[in-house]
């Protein structure tokens, strides 16, 4: 069920190539798109991280990915 903050397919086509590529050792549980939708949901609604809807990735996963990308930009 998409939310008003969810990316459209056209928006995803634009954003996906800009995301960092990472060598994975196992298949990810959540797609980059699902994680980004979690970040966008929290930003739009201003909710607590732990209040993300249950059909989005767990808030700890979304927050960890957001923090890891943000901390790379500081270097």
């Amino acid at each position: 069920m998409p939310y008003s903050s969810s990316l459209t397919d056209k928006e995803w086509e634009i954003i996906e190539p800009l995301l960092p590529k990472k060598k994975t050792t196992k298949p990810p549980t959540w797609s980059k798109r699902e994680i980004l939708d979690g970040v966008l949901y929290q930003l739009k609604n201003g909710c607590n991280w732990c209040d993300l809807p249950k059909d989005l990735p767990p808030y700890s996963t979304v927050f960890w990915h957001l923090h890891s990308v943000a901390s790379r930009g500081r270097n």
Side-chain angles (χ1 to χ4, degrees):
M1 175 179 143
Y3 298 97
S4 61
S5 58
S6 297
L7 295 171
T8 64
D9 289 340
K10 188 153 186 87
E11 291 169 331
W12 179 245
E13 287 176 20
I14 295 167
I15 292 174
E16 184 183 24
L18 304 173
L19 297 175
K21 304 288 186 256
K22 183 179 172 186
K23 183 179 176 183
T24 58
T25 56
K26 65 175 187 160
T29 304
W30 299 95
S31 71
K32 289 180 181 181
R33 185 173 183 171
E34 290 169 315
I35 291 168
L36 186 54
D37 278 344
V39 170
L40 295 173
Y41 182 92
Q42 195 281 334
L43 290 172
K44 180 174 183 182
N45 294 293
C47 65
N48 293 323
W49 283 103
C50 59
D51 292 334
L52 288 178
K54 300 302 179 205
D55 59 334
L56 291 173
Y59 74 91
S60 57
T61 301
V62 175
F63 183 81
W64 183 88
H65 282 277
L66 176 64
H67 180 70
S68 68
V69 169
S71 64
R72 276 189 241 145
R74 291 185 211 147
N75 296 334

